[in-house]
Amino acid sequence: MAKRLFIKTFGCQMNVYDSARMADVLAPFGFERDERPDDADLVILNTCHIREKAAEKVFSELGRLRRLKQARAQRGERMLLAVAGCVAQAEGEAVLRRAPFVDIVLGPQTYHRLPEMVERVSRGGRAVLDTEFPDEPKFDFLPEARAEGSNAFLAIQEGCDRFCSYCVVPYTRGAEYCRPAEAVLAEARALATQGVRELTLLGQNVNAWQAGPEWDLAALLTALAAIDGIERLRYVTSHPRDLGESLIAAHRDLPELMPFLHLPVQSGSDRILRAMNRGHDRDEYRRLADRLRAARPDLALSSDFIVGFPGETDRDFQDTLDLVAEIGFVQTYSFKYSPRPGTPAAALPDQLPDAVKEARLAELQALLHRQTEAFNQACVGREMAVLLDRPGKYADQLLGRSPYMQPVHVRAPGRRIGEVVRLRIAAVHPNSLEAIPA
Ligand code: 5AD
Ligand code: SF4
């Protein structure tokens, strides 16, 4: 009999991928994914620990789920509650202390064991806690990935050895691990056979991927581009220090590689970059951007920023604003610095008041917003290849993504989902671009 599974995902794309893989792991045991938690037999919260706000959301969500669980219990039914992901990894036992009605707590490295954990608590066992970093990589135990639509994420690397001073990732996801090339290629082939046209390779430090002397990310992208059906490639998230000559050349040589790169710089101030332990300064970042654009002139860059890092002065912040304008980022994610337990930056003196962070964030976001707008406007009249991936509101309308991830809608009778079509951008709407057949 089918059992209902509801997964709520917080945080990054790696978590979106992990959630899909957890569903794949549970499918052979009769679990089908549901859109709502109300009647679920198993609810998984796949959590994020990157900022305090993200971590706290989990506990308010758990409060709501507790009531659903009680309501089901009154009907004589059982809802199992699992907390997965980075909050589970970082807080472990503490999750069970704060929310004793939780049945399973599992870290990002043990979800291949989910069926076993579910089985154990179903038999009436006590809550299960599994936040180990097992010797055997979970990837070896996952069933074949099931595709949903024309785009897919594919995790090729996990964990991080960079230890930026503000970041919990090296602690929650562990040391860098790279999947073998053959495993990645096999997963990509399976996805392509199921209709996937665009692959986004995932890793916390994805461009550090290396699997033996011949296999770096450029070689992997080249091999993936040769797979029948794969028309577009992206990779995320990259660290500037690990972006070498071969990858820059791949941007020149591989038409499948989209001209849009998320390459976080975090700050424009050399002093702050040093305190963040980023391993590069603003000038090195600038030169990298120049080399990438020389290789691929239509390349656009996006970035993450942290404002209000401990000790950040008005001058440092101005350096960030200047760099944003100079590089011309077209898309960004910016955050107020959030001190995370166990990270070196949390212990630094000179933590800034929230009001300062708030004001700087608003100023930075206003600038970034203007740049995104300007970029969208500059796209009007341009021809772009758009991957159609969803039906639109009207019968002959389809939605898709531009090479720059902009949502595009077009009236294109006779076109089908899964096709890459050349379109001319005709207008900019608040949340999308409108196109006409080219
Ligand atoms: N506070 C605020 N933002 C953070 N990020 C990582 N750690 C923190 C933190 N402690 C941001 C970085 C990173 C993105 C995923 O989250 O900008 O690139
Ligand atoms: Fe965190 Fe830095 Fe690693 Fe990115 S590179 S995951 S910010 S430690």
Side-chain angles (χ1 to χ4, degrees):
M1 219 184 42
K3 288 172 263 184
R4 278 186 283 250
L5 167 67
F6 174 77
I7 308 183
K8 179 156 181 165
T9 309
F10 300 84
C12 64
Q13 289 154 325
M14 184 68 91
N15 268 11
V16 176
Y17 176 84
D18 285 346
S19 290
R21 303 317 313 275
M22 284 193 262
D24 292 343
V25 167
L26 290 164
F29 298 86
F31 283 96
E32 284 172 16
R33 231 169 142 168
D34 208 341
E35 302 286 303
R36 284 154 31 96
D38 302 60
D39 300 310
D41 299 293
L42 172 61
V43 173
I44 302 175
L45 296 185
N46 195 8
T47 63
C48 172
H49 201 246
I50 198 99
R51 285 169 291 276
E52 191 181 354
K53 225 160 116 191
E56 278 310 309
K57 264 192 218 155
V58 175
F59 290 98
S60 47
E61 189 67 32
L62 280 173
R64 276 193 290 279
L65 288 169
R66 174 190 206 166
R67 288 190 291 279
L68 288 183
K69 185 175 166 134
Q70 283 166 343
R72 284 210 74 180
Q74 275 161 11
R75 284 182 267 142
E77 295 159 351
R78 186 147 185 224
M79 173 192 277
L80 294 182
L81 214 52
V83 177
C86 294
V87 172
Q89 188 64 46
E91 303 202 3
E93 283 276 350
V95 174
L96 291 174
R97 277 198 300 275
R98 254 180 97 173
F101 48 93
V102 166
D103 301 287
I104 298 170
V105 176
L106 74 155
Q109 305 311 334
T110 55
Y111 61 73
H112 55 296
R113 300 179 186 158
L114 246 176
E116 199 186 305
M117 299 181 209
V118 169
E119 170 66 22
R120 248 200 295 162
V121 280
S122 301
R123 280 200 312 256
R126 297 188 342 171
V128 173
L129 173 78
D130 192 347
T131 51
E132 237 193 286
F133 285 102
D135 291 335
E136 80 282 0
K138 67 181 170 222
F139 294 105
D140 295 354
F141 297 87
L142 297 176
E144 189 170 279
R146 289 176 307 165
E148 286 171 31
S150 325
N151 312 295
F153 291 131
L154 202 176
I156 66 166
Q157 182 279 333
E158 199 177 349
C160 187
D161 294 343
R162 284 255 159 236
F163 289 92
C164 299
S165 63
Y166 49 81
C167 186
V168 287
V169 166
Y171 313 96
T172 56
R173 291 274 172 173
E176 265 173 30
Y177 167 77
C178 297
R179 289 178 74 187
E182 205 29 67
V184 173
L185 292 169
E187 189 165 326
R189 281 187 217 108
L191 290 167
T193 311
Q194 296 173 66
V196 168
R197 298 291 161 258
E198 176 175 306
L199 278 180
T200 302
L201 307 183
L202 296 181
Q204 267 86 33
N205 184 6
V206 72
N207 55 332
W209 185 87
Q210 181 95 44
E214 288 111 69
W215 283 108
D216 65 359
L217 186 58
L220 183 66
L221 287 163
T222 307
L224 288 166
I227 293 176
D228 245 4
I230 298 300
E231 298 188 43
R232 296 178 153 206
L233 294 167
R234 305 176 187 275
Y235 59 93
V236 71
T237 292
S238 295
H239 192 290
R241 271 296 290 272
D242 294 303
L243 210 148
E245 201 48 52
S246 64
L247 196 50
I248 293 175
H251 278 279
R252 181 192 63 214
D253 300 335
L254 289 178
E256 291 83 359
L257 193 51
M258 290 293 99
F260 184 50
L261 180 61
H262 186 60
L263 188 62
V265 64
Q266 312 292 358
S267 167
S269 152
D270 281 341
R271 219 173 56 79
I272 297 298
L273 286 171
R274 219 171 308 121
M276 286 177 164
N277 191 32
R278 287 289 292 175
H280 64 82
D281 60 22
R282 61 186 273 148
D283 215 47
E284 282 162 317
Y285 188 90
R286 244 190 226 128
R287 284 202 298 273
L288 196 51
D290 288 345
R291 283 163 64 209
L292 281 159
R293 283 179 178 144
R296 181 84 206 233
D298 60 347
L299 184 107
L301 286 168
S302 92
S303 176
D304 293 339
F305 290 94
I306 297 176
V307 300
F309 187 83
E312 186 187 67
T313 62
D314 285 336
R315 172 78 245 168
D316 293 319
F317 179 59
Q318 188 58 47
D319 285 345
T320 296
L321 295 174
D322 292 348
L323 189 69
V324 167
E326 189 194 332
I327 300 284
F329 293 106
V330 302
Q331 164 88 65
T332 47
Y333 303 90
S334 44
F335 312 100
K336 292 191 280 185
Y337 169 71
S338 167
R340 307 307 291 130
T343 59
L348 287 176
D350 208 5
Q351 301 281 333
L352 300 187
D354 192 59
V356 172
K357 295 183 195 174
E358 194 67 55
R360 287 182 186 166
L361 185 69
E363 191 175 348
L364 177 61
Q365 287 187 340
L367 171 63
L368 295 167
H369 183 72
R370 285 199 298 278
Q371 286 191 190
T372 304
E373 289 277 280
F375 178 68
N376 287 343
Q377 287 297 345
C379 290
V380 174
R382 262 176 86 174
E383 244 185 59
M384 287 187 192
V386 173
L387 171 59
L388 301 171
D389 59 4
R390 274 163 303 150
K393 253 194 286 186
Y394 311 104
D396 60 351
Q397 191 188 47
L398 290 169
L399 305 182
R401 295 269 178 183
S402 77
Y404 305 103
M405 290 299 278
Q406 296 146 302
V408 177
H409 57 91
V410 63
R411 293 221 152 154
R415 293 300 193 174
R416 282 198 314 272
I417 289 175
E419 279 185 274
V420 177
V421 292
R422 289 207 70 83
L423 301 176
R424 186 174 301 284
I425 305 303
V428 179
H429 294 281
N431 298 308
S432 62
L433 303 181
E434 184 183 334
I436 52 174

